[in-house]
Amino acid sequence: MRHCPLVAILRGVRPDEIEAMADALVQAGFSMIEVPLNSPDPLVSIAKIAHRYGEDVLVGAGTVLTVAEVEAVHAAGGTLVVSPNVNPAVIARSVELGMVSLPGYATPTEAFAALEAGAHGLKLFPAEAASPPVLKAQLAVIPRHVPVLAVGGVTPENLSDWMAAGAAGGGLGSALYKAGRSVEDVAKAAKAFVAEVHRLID
């Protein structure tokens, strides 16, 4: 998170292209990669990144909804569990297995339920349904040491608004990668995001 507070969300990525995409992201400066479980053969992709980069990259799954899925991601070598919701059982099992838990929340009630279950950080999701002022108000009560990522609709143009409101960074989906996008286009978008986040935090 301190190195680069951006999570690359590769929804729809295929195992045959994952290594090239991951290389482009890591070369641009990313150190957190999420493969949503509704992608083609996501556990294969996660295993490939985990084997390729080891501890240098925090890799795992998104759209994790059950304890069984947490265990499958762990078995594949994943170390990151990202969910769209707050499921205490999913969070607790992730923590038990030594994985990083980043559940999605929308309200302070959900945020505190996630933290009570052991979540390491939070993602405001979907961020486009909220606003930077909403996040700023929530962060008045969410403990300061908890990193909160804005996820959903985050672009290089609005990342500064979210971080000015207190977001630690962002989760980047279609503005970074979508199925069918070339490695070259992903690399270009990745570099733009990293340049912007470094401008904001340096």
Side-chain angles (χ1 to χ4, degrees):
M1 188 70 73
R2 285 187 294 271
H3 172 67
C4 180
L6 301 173
V7 179
I9 303 170
L10 305 183
R11 189 178 306 279
V13 72
R14 304 186 314 272
D16 65 292
E17 63 180 348
I18 187 62
E19 290 172 316
M21 292 295 178
D23 288 349
L25 292 166
V26 173
Q27 288 167 13
F30 278 76
S31 57
M32 295 184 286
I33 299 175
E34 168 193 334
V35 179
L37 290 182
N38 52 4
S39 303
D41 295 317
L43 298 176
V44 175
S45 292
I46 291 168
K48 285 188 172 187
I49 304 175
H51 181 264
R52 193 174 186 85
Y53 287 103
E55 295 181 356
D56 292 337
V57 173
L58 187 65
V59 60
T63 320
V64 180
L65 303 177
T66 68
V67 169
E69 289 173 346
V70 172
E71 293 169 347
V73 173
H74 181 263
T79 51
L80 174 66
V81 173
V82 184
S83 302
N85 61 330
V86 175
N87 182 327
V90 165
I91 296 168
R93 186 58 176 147
S94 301
V95 174
E96 287 173 1
L97 291 173
M99 305 169 81
V100 174
S101 172
L102 288 175
Y105 84 100
T107 67
T109 298
E110 294 174 343
F112 281 102
L115 295 176
E116 185 175 348
H120 297 93
L122 302 167
K123 71 170 190 176
L124 177 61
F125 177 78
E128 61 259 70
S131 66
V134 167
L135 175 60
K136 185 176 181 179
Q138 293 176 345
L139 290 175
V141 294
I142 292 173
R144 292 187 179 183
H145 70 276
V146 177
V148 178
L149 303 180
V151 180
V154 178
T155 67
E157 292 73 30
N158 66 27
L159 180 61
S160 60
D161 295 332
W162 287 109
M163 293 188 70
L172 315 174
S174 59
L176 177 66
Y177 171 88
K178 50 189 171 184
R181 199 169 195 185
S182 70
V183 174
E184 293 76 18
D185 285 345
V186 170
K188 182 178 179 181
K191 290 174 183 175
F193 270 114
V194 171
E196 177 63 7
V197 79
H198 282 170
R199 183 186 73 82
L200 295 169
I201 64 179
D202 289 345

